Amino acid sequence: VVPYLLSAFTVAYLVSAVQVLLFLAVVLIALRGRRLHRKTVRLIAIGLLLGSVASVILQLVDNTGDGGALASLWTAMILTLAVFFIVRQVLAQPQITEQSIYGVLSAYMMIGLIFAAVYVAMWKFSPHPPFFAHGAKDETTKTFQYFSFTTLTTLGYGDFTAAGDDGRAVAVLEAMVGQMFLATLVARLVAGFRWSERAATRHSSH
């Protein structure tokens, strides 16, 4: 939530660099819950740290060019890792708890940020044609995140639409992912949480 609000209410280039560091922290926290060898975890953490430092440098040096596009792709990658670790850990738990539901909802929000980073990368790799049909004047990080979440939730206000076929294809993919995520994983966890509560109530009554 914090990285999203930072970009939604600010316009400074430094915010993108701060976001990368916050996303790195999320991945490292999610990585701690994995049952991996300590040396493996250390190597992954060092690789993620070095990649994030390079991403921050690219954001500061070439934010609007290919460097910024590569940094956005790095953001999408580390968020994808975080979603993978969180969902795997939630599904591996024997009981459904409130923390499990919060974890899945966090992963759902990260998916919206992943696609927003992909849209930004697509735009920066080809900055001459506008990404949105309305023109380039509204193309900022906050606009891409707004477009991503309205697409992920299939809300579809229609005030922003992708102009190119590549952007439309990714938007359709995001809408499908959002619906499948809610219809399968979140619904399954909520149903399992209610079942766990009823089972605990029956056990305490006995």
Side-chain angles (χ1 to χ4, degrees), residues 29-141:
I29 292 173
L31 187 62
R32 287 186 59 187
R34 300 297 302 157
R35 296 180 179 178
L36 298 175
H37 193 273
R38 182 176 299 180
K39 185 177 180 180
T40 303
V41 173
R42 187 181 297 113
L43 291 175
I44 295 175
I46 292 174
L48 291 173
L49 179 60
L50 293 176
S52 297
V53 171
S55 175
V56 170
I57 294 175
L58 289 174
Q59 289 277 8
L60 297 177
V61 174
D62 187 22
N63 185 66
T64 59
D66 291 345
L70 292 174
S72 296
L73 290 179
W74 175 259
T75 299
M77 191 199 76
I78 60 176
L79 284 176
T80 302
L81 284 176
V83 170
F84 174 77
F85 289 143
I86 290 173
V87 173
R88 282 285 300 272
Q89 187 172 346
V90 167
L91 294 178
Q93 291 180 351
Q95 291 183 342
I96 306 300
T97 63
E98 292 183 3
Q99 187 177 10
S100 303
I101 298 176
Y102 293 150
V104 171
L105 292 177
S106 298
Y108 183 70
M109 191 166 189
M110 289 179 201
I111 292 174
L113 294 173
I114 289 170
F115 278 95
V118 172
Y119 295 137
V120 172
M122 295 170 62
W123 171 56
K124 289 183 178 179
F125 273 130
S126 56
H128 299 293
F131 184 87
F132 296 116
H134 296 78
K137 63 179 181 179
D138 295 321
E139 291 174 344
T140 60
T141 300

